Amino acid sequence: QQQVKQSPQSLIVQKGGIPIINCAYENTAFDYFPWYQQFPGKGPALLIAIRPDVSEKKEGRFTISFNKSAKQFSLHIMDSQPGDSATYFCAASSNHAGGTSYGKLTFGQGTILTVHP
Amino acid sequence: DVKVTQSSRYLVKRTGEKVFLECVQDMDHENMFWYRQDPGLGLRLIYFSYDVKMKEKGDIPEGYSVSREKKERFSLILESASTNQTSMYLCASSLYSPLQHFGDGTRLSIL
């Protein structure tokens, strides 16, 4: 079974800190790695995504770092704010351009992030 | 904006009942997905559909079935509900890409 392993399960930081969430995968056919953010009572929403041809992608305060040889990727949140408190999921997909995968995603276990004021 | 609507936010059913969870998307997306979300386990794929009347099993299909009679609607069916199916159920849709748009979920309790 394809797996994506995510850690830590929960994370508490102070405002302004830089939480880091890590994910590791096994399937080398994965070629699209999104991060989803979920607030209480809401469904997950796409936050940022990366493809394996780049080692880093930054959008605002959110950065994905990608290490293809180690099959690992991570999310960094710069200058974290209490409003960033949410559950974060990494995910992975193969055949992103279509094919027989139909855009299926394999999700990590999730990280509950709490940012204290 | 893509809107994925799940018919119920909260649902309480009894063991052995047949339960229907409904999901509607308004963006003419080809693909639709049903997940269950449990603490520490992330999102696990139950079933997905890539076209009307077409479906494929996900990672945990046992005890579930699905129906897609119209492109915009994807139903999850618990044939005979059991307490271990108490969970948060999430529906998602996508076009020809892994960018999935999620509904806000149905929290289902089986007593």
Side-chain angles (χ1 to χ4, degrees), chain B residues 20-73:
Chain B
F20 294 85
L21 302 183
E22 306 287 344
C23 176
V24 177
Q25 50 96 1
D26 66 355
M27 284 301 291
D28 203 34
H29 281 173
E30 302 296 324
N31 305 323
M32 296 189 75
F33 306 83
W34 274 107
Y35 296 89
R36 63 177 283 175
Q37 180 178 1
D38 300 288
L41 296 177
L43 278 65
R44 293 180 292 166
L45 182 64
I46 303 172
Y47 267 96
F48 70 100
S49 169
Y50 52 91
D51 201 350
V52 175
K53 296 189 186 295
M54 305 304 287
K55 61 186 178 185
E56 282 201 18
K57 294 179 180 179
D59 298 320
I60 52 165
E62 295 79 19
Y64 304 94
S65 62
V66 290
S67 173
R68 194 170 181 196
E69 296 296 319
K70 294 185 178 181
K71 192 174 186 180
E72 68 271 17
R73 186 178 298 270

Side-chain angles (χ1 to χ4, degrees), chain A residues 2-17:
Chain A
Q2 300 177 352
Q3 283 191 341
V4 177
K5 295 182 179 179
Q6 183 174 345
S7 63
Q9 189 168 356
S10 63
L11 189 54
I12 300 174
V13 300
Q14 292 296 124
K15 178 182 174 181

Side-chain angles (χ1 to χ4, degrees), chain A residues 32 36 38 41 43 46 102-103, chain B residues 9 31 37 98-100 103-104:
Chain A
Y32 177 78
Y36 280 78
Q38 183 183 31
L46 180 67
Y102 305 108
Chain B
R9 293 300 304 273
N31 305 323
Q37 180 178 1
L99 171 55
Q100 294 185 15
D104 287 337

Side-chain angles (χ1 to χ4, degrees), chain A residues 48-117:
Chain A
I48 185 173
I50 196 169
R51 299 200 188 280
D53 51 346
V54 297
S55 60
E56 185 175 281
K57 183 173 181 180
K58 187 174 182 179
E59 288 186 5
R61 295 183 294 107
F62 300 91
T63 299
I64 300 178
S65 298
F66 186 83
N67 185 331
K68 188 174 182 179
S69 60
K71 291 186 286 184
Q72 295 176 347
F73 57 110
S74 59
L75 176 70
H76 301 233
I77 306 176
M78 308 301 291
D79 186 28
S80 60
Q81 301 295 314
D84 296 330
S85 297
T87 300
Y88 292 82
F89 294 97
C90 63
S93 177
S94 60
N95 300 320
H96 67 276
T100 59
S101 74
Y102 305 108
K104 283 193 299 181
L105 290 170
T106 299
F107 283 88
Q109 293 79 6
T111 296
I112 301 172
L113 172 66
T114 303
V115 182
H116 286 312

